[in-house]
Amino acid sequence: MSLSRTGCRTCKIRRVKCDEAKPKCRNCIRSNRDCVVDPATRNPGFQFYAENSYASGDARRPRGPRPSLATVRPRADIVSQAKSYYVNYYLYGLSDNMPIVSASMLECLTAWNASRKSSELVDLALSSVALAAYSRVQRSPPARKEAVRAYSQLLHVVQGRVMDAGSRAYAGPASDATLLTILLMATYECIMHNPDPLASEPSGTRHSWSHHTGALTVLRHWYNRTNQGAAPSHGPFIRQARRGTLRFALMMRHSLPSWLQDGSLFGESGLELEFDKILLRAINLRSALSSVLRNTLNDEARTMMVEAARLEEAMGLWQAKTPNTWAPTIIAIPEEARHDLLSPVVRTYDKPVYAAVWVQYYAVLIVVQSTLLRLCHHIPESQWQYNRYKSELDSSVKCFASNIPFALDRVVLKDVDTRSSTAHPPSVTFLDSDSAVQPALALSIAWPVTIVSNLDTIASEEQRWFRAQLARLGRVLGDGTLECAAKGGGEWA
């Protein structure tokens, strides 16, 4: 079989005939490979030995072992480097057994990859995000310029594709690609927010909030089709798009439409569905707080206080239902070894993803307890409870902080003896380098830390510590929005 000279590089390396289909050839679609059409090798780690002078007869091949052969690493183009970096450091860090409660947008990317679907929109969006993240983390101005170019091309394609397809882009199999593209576009906007000092020109990107409206539009079309009798598809795309909308609403104190409030319609079940109901109640509570505090009448405030107390109780019941595998081991840290820790203890687990579950849990609990504390000021007969609510809030803040180091996999346990229940507690050391933190883990706790770091009911010392952690997450993820929020951006408060 003759090989195509103008086919993709992937097929050439595999020595198979490429049909040169665009944007992805059939061989790469069937084998679930990246279809690289540029002359550079896809994998920056690929290497070969240079023996051309011997093969051509220009030099006589020496006998015996040849330890001095020159190793040549072909120079990969910037897009291939960025995508390789993003896939290796963002996607491969995900756990196969991650609790759905702590899953993030990266779950959609892995599901898309496993489905072997192909979409020009998704490919362009992923390239834009990979280049943007690579440009910030690796301090690469060329990658930044290429990211802006790729994103401009994506916006042009999206405008034409969605306008031509109309509502078809929001329904059926096309909705998965549309939702994933929107999630990736929002991620790109967050990364490029607060322009990097390396940039010689403004990025020209829009604010990421506008993409939540786009996701909400797709979800509404999906919901309407389901109500009209279409078979529902409860994949990660629908679930994660709705979760992103809920988290955004909690951060920004927005209310939610009634059609979005039943999580079971969007694929939530079991403990995840119960936590979803708790999150919805917290969103409704927080979105109504501002108007209640502006009102001089206390009846509505009293009703809210009862709801907040009941929600706090519901969260305790949810905690009691969680599996034993999610339970922590609490280790006290000597004062001289605490370094930058806020809590005198750390909570460790079998896996960091379990710590991420509790980071999210305590973030919501802190929002509820913060609401109780603010309502105490507004209702004269409830002010005597202020000290109790403040004490409960302080305790939750310490629990929240004690989960963060292990959630980022910064805790190294030594002298662990699992054979004896009476063994001495293990010694603990902490990894301080940002490079030791996996982006997949950082992403799962970014939104809880963002919320807590901007609450005005916690102590200023604690707020500074949380913003320092937020800055760390921003550096790991290359996320400009997180770095801005770490400085106390008012839009998050």
Side-chain angles (χ1 to χ4, degrees), residues 281 285 299-313 372 375 379 389:
R281 291 172 66 181
L285 196 68
D299 289 343
E300 193 174 355
R302 293 189 188 96
T303 302
M304 279 192 64
M305 200 160 186
V306 172
E307 166 61 10
R310 289 176 178 172
L311 182 53
E312 188 180 22
E313 181 181 354
L372 280 168
L375 288 170
I379 306 174
Y389 289 137

Side-chain angles (χ1 to χ4, degrees), residues 334-378:
E335 188 171 353
E336 64 274 9
R338 289 177 191 170
H339 303 295
D340 63 342
L341 297 182
L342 182 63
S343 171
V345 301
V346 292
R347 283 170 162 78
T348 64
Y349 302 81
D350 290 341
K351 297 178 181 178
V353 291
Y354 297 140
V357 172
W358 297 113
V359 168
Q360 297 187 26
Y361 171 87
Y362 280 109
V364 177
L365 181 60
I366 289 169
V367 168
V368 174
Q369 292 172 337
S370 175
T371 302
L372 280 168
L373 206 61
R374 296 190 67 181
L375 288 170
C376 275
H377 284 296
H378 195 68

Side-chain angles (χ1 to χ4, degrees), residues 6 15 35 80 117 121 143 147 172 208 228 249-250 269 274 290 293 307 345 350-351 382 388 423 431 442 477-478 481:
T6 57
R15 299 187 63 79
C35 190
S80 296
K117 296 177 181 178
L121 291 179
S208 65
Q228 293 168 5
L250 183 65
S269 61
E274 292 187 35
S290 297
L293 294 180
E307 166 61 10
V345 301
D350 290 341
K351 297 178 181 178
S382 299
R388 177 169 71 89
L431 302 176
L477 294 169
T481 305

Side-chain angles (χ1 to χ4, degrees), residues 470-481:
L470 202 59
R472 179 193 295 272
L473 298 179
R475 292 192 299 270
V476 170
L477 294 169
D479 193 318
T481 305

Side-chain angles (χ1 to χ4, degrees), residues 122-313:
V122 174
D123 290 343
L124 276 172
L126 180 58
S127 295
S128 301
V129 170
L131 284 161
Y134 185 83
S135 71
R136 291 189 70 97
V137 177
Q138 301 295 324
R139 313 291 291 175
S140 171
R144 183 184 181 86
K145 291 182 179 179
E146 189 64 25
V148 173
R149 186 203 64 77
Y151 192 68
S152 298
Q153 182 182 355
L154 173 62
L155 291 175
H156 179 74
V157 173
V158 165
Q159 184 178 16
R161 188 73 55 84
V162 174
M163 291 298 181
D164 292 342
S167 61
R168 294 193 306 275
Y170 308 135
S175 64
D176 290 347
T178 304
L179 274 175
L180 182 54
T181 300
I182 290 172
L183 293 174
L184 288 169
M185 290 173 74
T187 302
Y188 173 90
E189 298 283 3
C190 287
I191 292 172
M192 299 293 274
H193 185 68
N194 187 26
D196 190 274
L198 279 175
S200 58
E201 77 289 328
S203 62
T205 56
R206 304 173 186 174
H207 213 273
S208 65
W209 304 158
S210 60
H211 295 301
H212 289 276
T213 303
L216 205 61
T217 301
V218 179
L219 289 174
R220 183 58 192 261
H221 277 272
W222 180 91
Y223 174 82
N224 290 339
R225 278 176 52 84
T226 302
N227 274 356
Q228 293 168 5
S233 58
H234 295 148
F237 308 99
I238 293 293
R239 184 173 62 244
Q240 287 299 339
R242 178 178 172 275
R243 285 188 182 182
T245 301
L246 265 59
R247 293 164 182 172
F248 175 74
L250 183 65
M251 285 192 289
M252 305 303 293
R253 298 174 179 167
H254 289 177
S255 58
L256 292 171
S258 58
W259 60 266
L260 199 62
Q261 302 210 13
D262 187 354
S264 63
L265 297 177
F266 297 87
E268 303 288 2
S269 61
L271 278 175
E272 288 77 21
L273 178 58
E274 292 187 35
F275 189 80
D276 184 84
K277 293 177 180 178
I278 288 171
L279 185 59
L280 279 166
R281 291 172 66 181
I283 292 169
N284 294 334
L285 196 68
R286 197 173 193 222
S287 64
L289 181 63
S290 297
S291 61
V292 168
L293 294 180
R294 287 194 299 266
N295 195 341
T296 56
L297 299 176
N298 294 328
D299 289 343
E300 193 174 355
R302 293 189 188 96
T303 302
M304 279 192 64
M305 200 160 186
V306 172
E307 166 61 10
R310 289 176 178 172
L311 182 53
E312 188 180 22
E313 181 181 354

Side-chain angles (χ1 to χ4, degrees), residues 314-337:
M315 295 193 70
L317 294 175
W318 185 88
Q319 182 181 20
K321 294 180 182 179
T322 55
N324 292 333
T325 52
W326 295 11
T329 299
I330 302 175
I331 302 175
I333 307 298
E335 188 171 353
E336 64 274 9

